[in-house]
Amino acid sequence: MISTLLRVLGQEYAGPVRRTVALMTATALVEGLSYALLVPVLRALFGSTPEDARPWLATFGAAVAVYAVLRYVSDRSGFRVGTTMLHGMYERLGEHLARLPVGWYQPGRTGEVSVLASQGVLQAMGVIAHLLAPFISACVTPLTIVAVMLAFNWQMGLAALAAVPLVAAVQLRAARATTATDTERVERERAATGRVIEYLQAQPVLRAGGRTGERFGLLDDSLKELRRASHRSTISALPGVLGLAVTVQAVFTALLALGAYLALGGHAGAAEVLAVLVLAARCADPLLSLAEMSGGIRAARAELTRLEDVLATKPLPEPREPREPAGHDVVFDAVTFRHGERAVADGVTLSVPEGRRLAVVGPSGAGKTTLLQLLARFYDVEAGVVRIGGVDVREMDTAALMARIAIVFQDVYLFDGTIEENVRLGRPDATDAEVRAAASAARLDEVIERLPGGWSAHVGEGGALLSGGERQRVSIARALLKDAPIVLLDEVTSALDPVNEAAVHAGIEELMAGRTVVMVAHRMGTVRRADHVAFLDAGRVVEQGSHDELLRRGGRYAAYWDLSLAGAAQH
Ligand SMILES: Nc1ncnc2c1ncn2[C@@H]1O[C@H](COP(=O)(O)OP(=O)(O)OP(=O)(O)O)[C@@H](O)[C@H]1O
């Protein structure tokens, strides 16, 4: 477990971890030895001269004091190393998540990653701070006591020593028996958490569709499954816990019987037997706590494996020697990309000269948004090349690529901050005047004037306090502020109210001016503003040309508009 932790986090933590383990082992040894001093204390107390116990009692007191100091130091060290490693893991995970391809963040990941990043990391990293010291103590203290027992009474010591492999075997068997049910319980926990997050996020949709009960049924089923899995996991752990308790008690009883036999036969003094039995009793507690601890360690190990899996997910490769594009024209050259088995881009070849606008049109699911995502390198193409200024986007430094592209998506995500902070995200070092100018060009100033608090108005989580059109305006202002030479637009499909529609159109017009634009267009009005149109179906470019040309041709593109205009007229 520790070696896995070090493998994940790096060897720079190996030194402090080794020192902590050594300190904890020394503490457990001193603990065992201080118990051992009970033997001469008891022997003296029950002997003919009880005052002989005084120096032993003083030594016992000193040993307990040393143990207390060591315990404090080793616990502190465990806590410190644990906290440092926890921070290290957060940093490592954070950095890695930031480097993973944007395409990795599919809807189901929200629940998975949020559980992993909160309770998963805490559980995996809590091992050093909370479980390591008791675990080492549970293993080392009884062994020290057994060694001491051997020194005082070899018969009883040997009997206790013989019990060590027996206790270890029972413990291992118990751990194996619960592994399967533990894994199932963790999986169910995960599924239930995912369902809870989905249920909360989907409240507006569910309420509008009157489907709250149905989805709650799914959540409820998932919670019931979790309850059943927890029950199974507890039941399967019971024989192990009971088995260990019975074994430990049986060993203790056997030692008691052996002690009585030795004392009655005159082979050992009563005080000696009593002292050895007190020591044996001291072994029982840590041994019994092993069962409980091993459950915690197994859970932590499972979380660590999951963390390792996420950390092993490869980020998109960065070029060793990044190239600078010469210009801002965009080319899709025989691009192929698949989601699973399905080809979403199938040999797409398109080009957009610098400063010109390409509109991608087509039925839902044709792969239009995917083209924008391939250009911004959310994913890497399977075959073919996407080029900007003659350079393959895979040969460009990711930060340099992102600096060249401004994106306005359909679903705008705003952070729970002020409007100003959200606009500034486009270019954090922009001056106030530049931020104001971008906002005004995106017609966001009208919105700000209306809001109580103006620029400092909070937008709520995900921008919930703004309307869809207002969120679009923030997103356009962000893109304008970024002032990137290439603009990717995914036009909103849902209708905006006329005021927002006009504002958004005006903002987009500003944004497109003089830039290379690739836009997914759903409205005829938008397509008319493009220089070139590509009609996409099932990942293939079926037709391309100017809007008027394609309409005159009377092919798929013309039929598509006929159908959508007829549909719109009916509404
Ligand atoms: N992360 C994903 N995993 C699996 N399949 C996906 C993923 N993202 C998109 N797809 C699938 O790829 C296909 C193309 O999706 P894309 O979003 O590019 O289509 P689109 O033409 O933009 O559609 P729309 O106009 O409805 O937004 C769709 O069938 C979609 O279901």
Side-chain angles (χ1 to χ4, degrees), residues 168-251:
V170 171
Q171 172 62 27
L172 271 180
R173 225 184 119 78
R176 278 206 200 111
T178 49
T179 304
T181 47
D182 269 1
T183 313
E184 190 204 350
R185 182 181 45 78
V186 171
E187 286 306 326
R188 299 281 177 208
E189 252 169 30
R190 218 153 265 280
T193 312
R195 285 257 183 250
V196 170
I197 291 176
E198 180 202 64
Y199 186 69
L200 294 180
Q201 282 179 339
Q203 276 301 306
V205 182
L206 294 178
R207 301 242 174 139
R211 294 296 172 96
T212 330
E214 190 186 295
R215 284 320 274 193
F216 184 74
L218 286 176
L219 170 60
D220 200 34
D221 287 347
S222 174
L223 290 171
K224 279 186 190 135
E225 280 295 335
L226 171 60
R227 207 168 50 228
R228 279 194 279 271
S230 300
H231 188 66
R232 275 195 290 275
S233 157
T234 312
I235 296 285
S236 72
L238 261 184
V241 174
L242 279 178
L244 190 68
V246 169
T247 311
V248 170
Q249 293 306 336
V251 168

Coordinates of all heavy atoms in Angstrom, one line a residue, residues 168-251:
A168 N -2.5 -14.8 12.4 CA -2.3 -14.2 11.1 C -3.1 -14.9 10.0 O -3.7 -14.2 9.2 CB -0.8 -14.2 10.7
A169 N -3.2 -16.2 10.1 CA -3.9 -17.0 9.1 C -5.4 -16.6 9.1 O -6.1 -16.4 8.1 CB -3.7 -18.5 9.3
V170 N -5.9 -16.6 10.4 CA -7.4 -16.2 10.6 C -7.6 -14.8 10.0 O -8.6 -14.6 9.3 CB -7.8 -16.3 12.1 CG1 -9.2 -15.8 12.3 CG2 -7.7 -17.7 12.5
Q171 N -6.7 -13.9 10.3 CA -6.8 -12.5 9.8 C -6.9 -12.4 8.3 O -7.7 -11.8 7.7 CB -5.7 -11.7 10.5 CG -5.5 -10.3 10.0 CD -6.7 -9.5 10.3 OE1 -7.4 -9.8 11.3 NE2 -7.0 -8.5 9.5
L172 N -5.9 -13.2 7.7 CA -5.8 -13.2 6.2 C -7.1 -13.7 5.6 O -7.6 -13.2 4.6 CB -4.6 -14.0 5.8 CG -3.3 -13.2 5.7 CD1 -2.2 -14.1 5.2 CD2 -3.5 -12.1 4.7
R173 N -7.5 -14.9 6.2 CA -8.7 -15.5 5.6 C -9.9 -14.6 5.7 O -10.7 -14.4 4.8 CB -9.0 -16.8 6.5 CG -9.3 -18.0 5.6 CD -9.7 -19.1 6.5 NE -11.1 -19.6 6.3 CZ -11.4 -20.3 5.2 NH1 -10.5 -20.7 4.4 NH2 -12.6 -20.7 5.0
A174 N -10.1 -13.9 6.9 CA -11.2 -13.0 7.0 C -11.1 -11.8 6.0 O -12.1 -11.5 5.4 CB -11.1 -12.4 8.5
A175 N -9.9 -11.4 5.7 CA -9.7 -10.3 4.8 C -10.1 -10.7 3.4 O -10.8 -10.0 2.7 CB -8.3 -9.8 4.8
R176 N -9.7 -12.0 3.0 CA -10.0 -12.5 1.7 C -11.5 -12.6 1.5 O -12.1 -12.3 0.5 CB -9.4 -13.8 1.5 CG -7.9 -13.6 1.0 CD -7.4 -14.8 0.2 NE -6.0 -14.7 0.3 CZ -5.2 -15.5 0.9 NH1 -5.7 -16.6 1.5 NH2 -3.9 -15.4 1.0
A177 N -12.2 -13.1 2.6 CA -13.6 -13.4 2.5 C -14.4 -12.1 2.3 O -15.5 -12.2 1.6 CB -14.1 -14.1 3.8
T178 N -13.9 -11.0 2.7 CA -14.7 -9.8 2.6 C -14.4 -9.0 1.4 O -15.1 -8.0 1.1 CB -14.5 -8.9 3.9 OG1 -13.2 -8.8 4.1 CG2 -15.2 -9.5 5.1
T179 N -13.3 -9.3 0.7 CA -12.8 -8.5 -0.4 C -13.9 -8.3 -1.5 O -14.2 -7.2 -1.9 CB -11.6 -9.1 -1.1 OG1 -10.6 -9.2 -0.1 CG2 -11.0 -8.2 -2.2
A180 N -14.6 -9.4 -1.9 CA -15.6 -9.3 -3.0 C -16.7 -8.5 -2.5 O -17.2 -7.6 -3.3 CB -16.0 -10.7 -3.3
T181 N -17.3 -8.7 -1.3 CA -18.4 -7.9 -0.9 C -18.1 -6.4 -0.7 O -18.9 -5.5 -0.9 CB -19.1 -8.5 0.4 OG1 -18.0 -8.7 1.3 CG2 -19.9 -9.7 0.1
D182 N -16.8 -6.2 -0.2 CA -16.4 -4.8 0.0 C -16.3 -4.1 -1.3 O -16.8 -3.0 -1.5 CB -14.9 -4.8 0.5 CG -14.9 -4.8 2.0 OD1 -16.0 -4.8 2.6 OD2 -13.8 -4.8 2.6
T183 N -15.8 -4.8 -2.4 CA -15.7 -4.2 -3.7 C -17.1 -3.9 -4.2 O -17.3 -2.8 -4.7 CB -15.0 -5.1 -4.7 OG1 -13.8 -5.6 -4.1 CG2 -14.6 -4.5 -6.0
E184 N -18.0 -4.8 -4.0 CA -19.4 -4.6 -4.5 C -20.0 -3.4 -3.8 O -20.6 -2.5 -4.4 CB -20.2 -5.8 -4.2 CG -21.6 -5.8 -4.9 CD -22.6 -6.6 -4.2 OE1 -22.3 -7.4 -3.3 OE2 -23.8 -6.5 -4.6
R185 N -19.7 -3.3 -2.4 CA -20.3 -2.2 -1.7 C -19.8 -0.8 -2.2 O -20.5 0.1 -2.4 CB -20.0 -2.3 -0.2 CG -20.6 -1.2 0.7 CD -20.3 -1.4 2.1 NE -18.9 -1.7 2.3 CZ -17.9 -0.8 2.3 NH1 -18.1 0.4 2.1 NH2 -16.6 -1.2 2.5
V186 N -18.5 -0.8 -2.5 CA -17.9 0.5 -2.9 C -18.5 0.8 -4.3 O -18.8 2.0 -4.6 CB -16.3 0.3 -3.0 CG1 -15.7 1.5 -3.7 CG2 -15.8 0.2 -1.6
E187 N -18.6 -0.2 -5.2 CA -19.2 0.1 -6.5 C -20.6 0.6 -6.4 O -21.0 1.6 -7.0 CB -19.3 -1.2 -7.3 CG -17.9 -1.7 -7.9 CD -17.2 -0.6 -8.7 OE1 -17.9 0.2 -9.3 OE2 -16.0 -0.6 -8.6
R188 N -21.4 0.0 -5.5 CA -22.8 0.5 -5.2 C -22.8 1.9 -4.7 O -23.7 2.7 -5.0 CB -23.5 -0.4 -4.3 CG -23.6 -1.9 -4.8 CD -24.7 -2.0 -5.8 NE -24.8 -3.3 -6.3 CZ -25.2 -3.6 -7.5 NH1 -25.6 -2.7 -8.3 NH2 -25.2 -4.9 -7.9
E189 N -21.9 2.2 -3.8 CA -21.8 3.5 -3.2 C -21.6 4.6 -4.3 O -22.2 5.6 -4.4 CB -20.6 3.6 -2.3 CG -21.0 3.7 -0.8 CD -19.7 3.4 0.1 OE1 -18.6 3.8 -0.3 OE2 -20.0 2.9 1.2
R190 N -20.7 4.2 -5.2 CA -20.3 5.0 -6.3 C -21.5 5.3 -7.2 O -21.9 6.4 -7.6 CB -19.3 4.3 -7.1 CG -18.2 5.1 -7.7 CD -17.0 4.3 -7.9 NE -16.2 4.5 -6.7 CZ -15.4 5.5 -6.5 NH1 -15.3 6.4 -7.5 NH2 -14.7 5.6 -5.4
A191 N -22.2 4.2 -7.5 CA -23.4 4.3 -8.4 C -24.4 5.2 -7.7 O -25.0 6.0 -8.4 CB -23.9 2.9 -8.7
A192 N -24.6 5.0 -6.4 CA -25.7 5.7 -5.7 C -25.3 7.2 -5.7 O -26.1 8.1 -5.9 CB -25.8 5.2 -4.3
T193 N -24.0 7.5 -5.5 CA -23.6 8.9 -5.5 C -23.8 9.6 -6.8 O -24.3 10.7 -6.9 CB -22.1 9.0 -5.1 OG1 -21.8 8.2 -4.0 CG2 -21.7 10.5 -4.9
G194 N -23.5 8.8 -7.9 CA -23.7 9.3 -9.3 C -25.2 9.6 -9.5 O -25.6 10.6 -10.0
R195 N -26.1 8.7 -9.0 CA -27.5 8.9 -9.2 C -28.0 10.1 -8.4 O -28.9 10.9 -8.8 CB -28.3 7.7 -8.6 CG -28.2 6.5 -9.6 CD -29.5 6.4 -10.3 NE -29.5 5.2 -11.2 CZ -29.4 5.3 -12.5 NH1 -29.4 6.4 -13.1 NH2 -29.4 4.2 -13.2
V196 N -27.4 10.3 -7.2 CA -27.8 11.5 -6.4 C -27.5 12.8 -7.1 O -28.3 13.7 -7.3 CB -27.2 11.5 -5.0 CG1 -27.4 12.8 -4.2 CG2 -27.7 10.3 -4.1
I197 N -26.2 12.8 -7.6 CA -25.8 14.0 -8.4 C -26.7 14.3 -9.6 O -27.2 15.4 -9.8 CB -24.3 13.9 -8.8 CG1 -23.5 14.0 -7.5 CG2 -23.9 15.0 -9.7 CD1 -22.0 13.8 -7.7
E198 N -27.0 13.2 -10.3 CA -27.8 13.3 -11.5 C -29.2 13.8 -11.1 O -29.7 14.7 -11.8 CB -27.9 11.9 -12.2 CG -28.7 11.9 -13.4 CD -29.2 10.5 -13.8 OE1 -30.0 10.0 -13.0 OE2 -28.8 10.0 -14.8
Y199 N -29.7 13.2 -10.1 CA -31.1 13.6 -9.6 C -31.2 15.1 -9.3 O -32.1 15.7 -9.6 CB -31.5 12.7 -8.4 CG -32.9 12.9 -8.0 CD1 -33.9 12.4 -8.8 CD2 -33.2 13.5 -6.8 CE1 -35.3 12.6 -8.3 CE2 -34.5 13.7 -6.3 CZ -35.5 13.2 -7.1 OH -36.8 13.4 -6.7
L200 N -30.1 15.5 -8.6 CA -30.1 16.9 -8.2 C -30.0 17.9 -9.4 O -30.7 18.8 -9.5 CB -29.0 17.2 -7.2 CG -29.2 16.5 -5.8 CD1 -28.0 16.8 -4.9 CD2 -30.5 16.9 -5.2
Q201 N -29.0 17.5 -10.3 CA -28.8 18.3 -11.5 C -30.0 18.4 -12.4 O -30.2 19.4 -13.0 CB -27.5 17.8 -12.2 CG -26.2 18.2 -11.6 CD -25.0 17.6 -12.3 OE1 -25.2 16.7 -13.1 NE2 -23.9 18.2 -12.0
A202 N -30.7 17.3 -12.4 CA -31.8 17.2 -13.4 C -33.1 17.7 -12.9 O -34.1 17.5 -13.6 CB -31.9 15.7 -13.9
Q203 N -33.1 18.3 -11.7 CA -34.4 18.7 -11.1 C -35.3 19.5 -12.0 O -36.5 19.2 -12.2 CB -34.2 19.4 -9.8 CG -34.0 18.5 -8.6 CD -35.2 17.6 -8.3 OE1 -36.3 18.1 -8.2 NE2 -34.9 16.3 -8.3
P204 N -34.7 20.6 -12.7 CA -35.6 21.4 -13.5 C -36.2 20.6 -14.6 O -37.4 20.7 -14.9 CB -34.6 22.5 -14.1 CG -33.5 22.5 -13.2 CD -33.3 21.1 -12.6
V205 N -35.4 19.7 -15.3 CA -36.0 18.9 -16.4 C -37.0 18.0 -15.9 O -38.1 17.8 -16.5 CB -34.8 18.1 -17.0 CG1 -35.3 17.3 -18.2 CG2 -33.7 19.0 -17.5
L206 N -36.7 17.3 -14.7 CA -37.6 16.3 -14.2 C -39.0 17.0 -13.8 O -40.0 16.4 -14.1 CB -37.0 15.6 -13.0 CG -35.8 14.8 -13.3 CD1 -35.2 14.2 -12.0 CD2 -36.1 13.7 -14.3
R207 N -38.9 18.1 -13.1 CA -40.1 18.8 -12.7 C -41.0 19.2 -13.9 O -42.1 19.0 -13.9 CB -39.8 20.0 -11.9 CG -39.0 19.7 -10.7 CD -39.7 20.0 -9.4 NE -38.9 19.5 -8.3 CZ -38.6 20.2 -7.2 NH1 -39.2 21.3 -7.0 NH2 -37.9 19.7 -6.3
A208 N -40.2 19.8 -14.9 CA -41.0 20.2 -16.1 C -41.6 19.0 -16.8 O -42.8 19.1 -17.3 CB -40.0 20.9 -17.1
G209 N -41.0 17.9 -16.8 CA -41.6 16.7 -17.5 C -42.4 15.9 -16.6 O -42.9 14.8 -17.0
G210 N -42.6 16.3 -15.3 CA -43.4 15.5 -14.3 C -42.8 14.1 -14.1 O -43.5 13.2 -13.9
R211 N -41.4 14.0 -14.2 CA -40.8 12.7 -14.1 C -40.0 12.5 -12.8 O -39.2 11.6 -12.7 CB -39.8 12.5 -15.3 CG -40.5 12.4 -16.6 CD -41.4 11.2 -16.6 NE -42.2 11.1 -17.8 CZ -41.9 10.4 -18.9 NH1 -40.9 9.8 -18.9 NH2 -42.8 10.4 -19.9
T212 N -40.3 13.4 -11.8 CA -39.5 13.3 -10.6 C -39.6 12.0 -9.9 O -38.6 11.4 -9.5 CB -40.0 14.4 -9.6 OG1 -40.5 15.5 -10.4 CG2 -38.9 14.9 -8.7
G213 N -40.9 11.5 -9.9 CA -41.1 10.2 -9.2 C -40.4 9.1 -9.9 O -39.7 8.2 -9.2
E214 N -40.4 9.0 -11.2 CA -39.8 8.0 -12.0 C -38.3 7.9 -11.7 O -37.7 6.9 -11.4 CB -40.0 8.3 -13.5 CG -39.6 7.1 -14.4 CD -39.8 7.7 -15.8 OE1 -41.0 8.0 -16.2 OE2 -38.8 7.8 -16.5
R215 N -37.6 9.1 -11.8 CA -36.2 9.2 -11.6 C -35.8 8.9 -10.1 O -34.8 8.3 -9.8 CB -35.6 10.6 -11.9 CG -35.4 10.9 -13.4 CD -35.0 9.8 -14.2 NE -33.5 9.6 -14.3 CZ -32.9 8.9 -15.3 NH1 -33.6 8.2 -16.1 NH2 -31.6 8.7 -15.3
F216 N -36.8 9.4 -9.2 CA -36.5 9.1 -7.8 C -36.5 7.6 -7.6 O -35.8 7.0 -6.8 CB -37.5 9.8 -6.9 CG -37.2 9.6 -5.5 CD1 -36.1 10.2 -4.9 CD2 -37.8 8.6 -4.7 CE1 -35.7 10.0 -3.6 CE2 -37.5 8.4 -3.4 CZ -36.4 9.1 -2.8
G217 N -37.4 6.9 -8.4 CA -37.4 5.4 -8.3 C -36.1 4.8 -8.6 O -35.6 3.9 -7.9
L218 N -35.4 5.4 -9.6 CA -34.1 4.8 -10.0 C -33.1 5.1 -8.9 O -32.3 4.2 -8.5 CB -33.6 5.5 -11.3 CG -34.3 5.1 -12.6 CD1 -33.7 5.9 -13.7 CD2 -34.0 3.6 -12.8
L219 N -33.2 6.3 -8.3 CA -32.3 6.7 -7.2 C -32.5 5.8 -6.0 O -31.6 5.2 -5.4 CB -32.5 8.1 -6.9 CG -31.8 8.6 -5.6 CD1 -30.3 8.5 -5.7 CD2 -32.1 10.1 -5.3
D220 N -33.8 5.6 -5.7 CA -34.2 4.8 -4.6 C -33.7 3.3 -4.8 O -33.2 2.7 -3.9 CB -35.8 4.8 -4.5 CG -36.2 4.4 -3.2 OD1 -35.5 4.7 -2.2 OD2 -37.3 3.7 -3.1
D221 N -33.9 2.8 -6.0 CA -33.4 1.4 -6.3 C -31.9 1.3 -6.0 O -31.4 0.4 -5.4 CB -33.6 1.1 -7.8 CG -35.1 0.8 -8.1 OD1 -35.8 0.7 -7.1 OD2 -35.5 0.8 -9.3
S222 N -31.2 2.4 -6.5 CA -29.8 2.4 -6.3 C -29.4 2.4 -4.8 O -28.5 1.7 -4.4 CB -29.2 3.6 -7.1 OG -27.9 3.8 -6.9
L223 N -30.2 3.2 -4.0 CA -29.9 3.3 -2.6 C -30.2 1.9 -1.9 O -29.5 1.5 -1.0 CB -30.7 4.4 -2.0 CG -30.2 5.8 -2.4 CD1 -31.2 6.9 -1.9 CD2 -28.8 6.1 -1.8
K224 N -31.3 1.3 -2.4 CA -31.7 0.0 -1.9 C -30.6 -1.0 -2.1 O -30.2 -1.8 -1.3 CB -33.0 -0.5 -2.5 CG -34.2 0.1 -1.8 CD -35.5 -0.5 -2.3 CE -36.7 0.3 -1.8 NZ -37.6 0.5 -2.9
E225 N -30.0 -1.0 -3.4 CA -28.9 -1.9 -3.8 C -27.8 -1.6 -2.8 O -27.1 -2.6 -2.4 CB -28.5 -1.6 -5.2 CG -29.4 -2.2 -6.3 CD -29.3 -3.7 -6.2 OE1 -28.3 -4.3 -5.7 OE2 -30.3 -4.4 -6.6
L226 N -27.5 -0.4 -2.5 CA -26.4 0.0 -1.7 C -26.6 -0.6 -0.3 O -25.7 -1.2 0.3 CB -26.2 1.5 -1.6 CG -25.2 2.0 -0.6 CD1 -23.8 1.5 -0.9 CD2 -25.2 3.6 -0.6
R227 N -27.9 -0.5 0.2 CA -28.2 -1.0 1.5 C -28.0 -2.5 1.6 O -27.4 -3.0 2.5 CB -29.6 -0.6 1.9 CG -29.8 -0.5 3.4 CD -31.1 0.1 3.8 NE -32.2 -0.5 3.1 CZ -33.2 0.2 2.6 NH1 -33.1 1.5 2.5 NH2 -34.2 -0.4 2.0
R228 N -28.4 -3.2 0.5 CA -28.3 -4.6 0.4 C -26.8 -5.0 0.4 O -26.3 -5.9 1.1 CB -29.0 -5.2 -0.8 CG -30.5 -5.4 -0.5 CD -31.1 -6.2 -1.6 NE -31.4 -5.5 -2.8 CZ -32.5 -4.8 -3.1 NH1 -33.5 -4.8 -2.2 NH2 -32.6 -4.2 -4.2
A229 N -26.0 -4.2 -0.4 CA -24.6 -4.5 -0.6 C -23.9 -4.3 0.8 O -23.0 -5.1 1.2 CB -23.9 -3.7 -1.6
S230 N -24.3 -3.2 1.5 CA -23.6 -2.9 2.8 C -24.0 -4.0 3.8 O -23.1 -4.5 4.6 CB -24.2 -1.6 3.4 OG -23.9 -0.6 2.5
H231 N -25.2 -4.5 3.7 CA -25.7 -5.6 4.6 C -24.8 -6.9 4.3 O -24.3 -7.5 5.2 CB -27.1 -5.9 4.3 CG -27.8 -6.8 5.2 ND1 -27.9 -6.5 6.6 CD2 -28.2 -8.1 5.1 CE1 -28.5 -7.6 7.2 NE2 -28.7 -8.5 6.3
R232 N -24.7 -7.2 3.0 CA -23.9 -8.4 2.6 C -22.4 -8.2 3.1 O -21.9 -9.2 3.6 CB -23.9 -8.6 1.1 CG -25.1 -9.3 0.6 CD -24.9 -9.8 -0.9 NE -24.9 -8.7 -1.8 CZ -26.0 -8.1 -2.4 NH1 -27.1 -8.6 -2.1 NH2 -25.9 -7.2 -3.2
S233 N -21.9 -7.0 2.9 CA -20.5 -6.7 3.3 C -20.4 -6.9 4.8 O -19.4 -7.5 5.3 CB -20.1 -5.3 2.8 OG -19.1 -4.8 3.5
T234 N -21.4 -6.4 5.6 CA -21.3 -6.6 7.1 C -21.4 -8.0 7.4 O -20.6 -8.5 8.3 CB -22.4 -5.8 7.7 OG1 -22.4 -4.5 7.2 CG2 -22.2 -5.7 9.2
I235 N -22.3 -8.7 6.8 CA -22.5 -10.2 7.1 C -21.3 -11.0 6.8 O -20.8 -11.8 7.6 CB -23.7 -10.7 6.3 CG1 -25.0 -10.0 6.8 CG2 -23.9 -12.2 6.5 CD1 -25.6 -10.4 8.1
S236 N -20.7 -10.6 5.6 CA -19.5 -11.4 5.2 C -18.3 -11.1 6.1 O -17.4 -11.9 6.2 CB -19.2 -11.2 3.7 OG -18.6 -9.9 3.6
A237 N -18.3 -9.9 6.7 CA -17.2 -9.6 7.6 C -17.3 -10.2 9.0 O -16.3 -10.4 9.7 CB -17.1 -8.1 7.8
L238 N -18.6 -10.6 9.3 CA -18.8 -11.1 10.7 C -18.0 -12.3 11.0 O -17.4 -12.4 12.1 CB -20.3 -11.3 10.8 CG -21.1 -10.3 11.6 CD1 -22.6 -10.7 11.7 CD2 -20.5 -10.0 12.9
P239 N -18.1 -13.4 10.2 CA -17.3 -14.6 10.5 C -15.8 -14.3 10.8 O -15.3 -14.8 11.7 CB -17.5 -15.5 9.3 CG -18.6 -15.0 8.6 CD -18.7 -13.5 8.9
G240 N -15.3 -13.3 10.0 CA -13.9 -13.0 10.2 C -13.6 -12.4 11.5 O -12.7 -12.7 12.3
V241 N -14.5 -11.4 11.9 CA -14.3 -10.6 13.1 C -14.5 -11.6 14.3 O -13.7 -11.6 15.3 CB -15.4 -9.5 13.2 CG1 -15.3 -8.8 14.6 CG2 -15.1 -8.5 12.1
L242 N -15.6 -12.4 14.2 CA -15.9 -13.4 15.3 C -14.8 -14.4 15.4 O -14.3 -14.7 16.4 CB -17.2 -14.1 15.0 CG -18.4 -13.3 15.4 CD1 -19.7 -14.1 15.0 CD2 -18.4 -13.0 16.9
G243 N -14.3 -14.9 14.2 CA -13.2 -15.9 14.1 C -12.0 -15.4 14.8 O -11.4 -16.1 15.6
L244 N -11.7 -14.1 14.6 CA -10.5 -13.5 15.2 C -10.6 -13.4 16.7 O -9.7 -13.8 17.5 CB -10.2 -12.2 14.5 CG -8.8 -11.6 14.9 CD1 -7.7 -12.4 14.3 CD2 -8.7 -10.1 14.4
A245 N -11.8 -12.9 17.1 CA -12.1 -12.8 18.5 C -12.0 -14.1 19.2 O -11.4 -14.2 20.3 CB -13.5 -12.2 18.7
V246 N -12.6 -15.1 18.6 CA -12.6 -16.5 19.2 C -11.2 -17.0 19.3 O -10.8 -17.6 20.3 CB -13.6 -17.4 18.4 CG1 -13.4 -18.9 18.9 CG2 -15.0 -17.0 18.6
T247 N -10.4 -16.8 18.2 CA -9.1 -17.4 18.2 C -8.2 -16.7 19.3 O -7.5 -17.4 20.0 CB -8.4 -17.1 16.8 OG1 -9.3 -17.5 15.8 CG2 -7.1 -17.8 16.6
V248 N -8.3 -15.3 19.4 CA -7.5 -14.6 20.4 C -7.9 -15.1 21.8 O -7.1 -15.4 22.6 CB -7.7 -13.1 20.2 CG1 -7.1 -12.3 21.4 CG2 -7.1 -12.6 18.9
Q249 N -9.2 -15.2 22.0 CA -9.7 -15.7 23.3 C -9.2 -17.1 23.6 O -8.8 -17.5 24.7 CB -11.2 -15.6 23.5 CG -11.8 -14.2 23.4 CD -11.2 -13.3 24.5 OE1 -10.6 -13.8 25.5 NE2 -11.2 -12.0 24.2
A250 N -9.3 -18.0 22.5 CA -8.9 -19.4 22.7 C -7.4 -19.4 23.1 O -7.0 -20.2 24.0 CB -9.1 -20.1 21.4
V251 N -6.6 -18.6 22.4 CA -5.1 -18.6 22.7 C -4.9 -18.1 24.1 O -4.1 -18.7 24.9 CB -4.4 -17.6 21.7 CG1 -2.9 -17.4 22.1 CG2 -4.4 -18.2 20.3

